[in-house]
Amino acid sequence: MYSHISTHFSSLVLGLSLVAPPAFASLLDILPRAVQTTVVATVTVQPLSVTSIPDTTSYTNSESLQADILNSTNFYRYEHNATALTWNSSLASFAQSWASHCRWQHSGGPYGENLAAGYPNVATAVDGWGNERAKYNFKTPTGFSEATGHFTQLVWKSTTSTGCAAVNCTGKGGMDGFFLVCEYYPPGNVVGDNNAFFVQNVQSQIHNSGPTGTSTGVAMSTTTAVSTASPTGQTGLGNEGTPGPTARGLWTLAILVAALGLASGMI
């Protein structure tokens, strides 16, 4: 039934992710930025058993979709000691734009991204991602894998916001049912340094809110490779929360501009 879905794991290309304090975000927008290239790793999962009654309202009503995404996502984040995500309308717009193409592939955008198709409602789609935790090794971190990539993005501690959209793609792009696209910022699944970022951002379950359901559907998730230039000229990996020399230079420049603005009464 899902013969059109292929499972592959592409090679990772290093890119730069910069997270700036809100006070300097507008200033950074006018400053030169390093070129960022993201190549995603596509993940598929096998269909799960059907236990839920279809409820397309969660897909077709924007308020219901937002509430169900946040409730279901933050359910897993609470259990894994991560702070609750907030809704980001810019991410939701990006997700809507990509979902409207009805292509069962990743957008290649600058955010973390989870995809799902064929689930009866939003909650069961998120459960499809979250239930991958049963396959994740928390003692010796699995890191990124095809079997757990959606879960690790879902509970990634450094991620603070999400925005999602769903489009009925029945009969389009080889899909059946609603196509759900969720974007995350800052992106999770940061690879490198012997999975050190997974140790920091993916914690084992410390709360138990009760069992979650399962359903039919397929899903895909991304990895993010964040690079910084090392003194030796080799490429190293860094967390999006710990910017490299280029990012630090931009932050310093932004701080100077802000200081001058305050001094002159411009800000």
Side-chain angles (χ1 to χ4, degrees):
M1 183 168 67
Y2 296 96
S3 59
H4 62 281
I5 304 301
S6 62
T7 302
H8 64 278
F9 185 56
S10 63
S11 59
L12 300 177
V13 176
L14 304 182
L16 174 65
S17 178
L18 169 62
V19 179
F24 305 131
S26 60
L27 292 170
L28 287 177
D29 285 340
I30 65 174
L31 298 174
R33 296 186 180 217
V35 176
Q36 174 174 292
T37 302
T38 303
V39 173
V40 301
T42 301
V43 180
T44 62
V45 294
Q46 295 300 315
L48 304 174
S49 60
V50 178
T51 59
S52 301
I53 299 174
D55 177 15
T56 58
T57 301
S58 65
Y59 287 126
T60 58
N61 182 286
S62 60
E63 292 183 357
S64 294
L65 185 146
Q66 178 178 335
D68 288 353
I69 285 291
L70 291 178
N71 288 339
S72 298
T73 297
N74 290 331
F75 168 92
Y76 287 99
R77 292 181 67 83
Y78 168 76
E79 291 202 330
H80 291 272
N81 201 32
T83 57
L85 297 187
T86 58
W87 189 259
N88 185 307
S89 58
S90 295
L91 295 180
S93 295
F94 185 94
Q96 179 66 47
S97 177
W98 180 245
S100 65
H101 294 293
C102 290
R103 297 174 187 167
W104 182 244
Q105 63 187 55
H106 282 291
S107 64
Y111 313 114
E113 185 173 82
N114 277 354
L115 309 180
Y119 288 89
N121 53 56
V122 167
T124 55
V126 176
D127 283 344
W129 301 334
N131 287 335
E132 291 177 354
R133 61 184 174 181
K135 303 175 183 178
Y136 191 81
N137 187 334
F138 294 94
K139 293 182 179 180
T140 304
T142 301
F144 181 82
S145 77
E146 297 183 3
T148 60
H150 318 93
F151 160 69
T152 50
Q153 171 60 86
L154 200 66
V155 302
W156 195 265
K157 286 188 173 184
S158 294
T159 296
T160 58
S161 62
T162 187
C164 308
V167 172
N168 188 347
C169 291
T170 300
K172 300 177 183 179
M175 283 187 281
D176 183 19
F178 281 85
F179 180 33
L180 177 65
V181 178
C182 280
E183 306 295 331
Y184 303 90
Y185 185 81
N189 289 340
V190 181
V191 299
D193 200 14
N194 296 317
N195 292 328
F197 307 116
F198 283 82
V199 173
Q200 297 167 10
N201 288 281
V202 182
Q203 187 171 335
S204 60
Q205 184 175 346
I206 65 170
H207 301 291
N208 186 4
S209 301
T212 59
T214 60
S215 182
T216 296
V218 291
M220 287 199 290
S221 184
T222 63
T223 64
T224 302
V226 180
S227 69
T228 58
S230 69
T232 62
Q234 297 176 335
T235 300
L237 293 173
N239 194 336
E240 68 276 10
T242 55
T246 300
R248 288 196 296 269
L250 289 174
W251 280 25
T252 301
L253 182 57
I255 292 171
L256 291 174
V257 172
L260 290 173
L262 288 171
S264 62
M266 294 173 60
I267 300 179

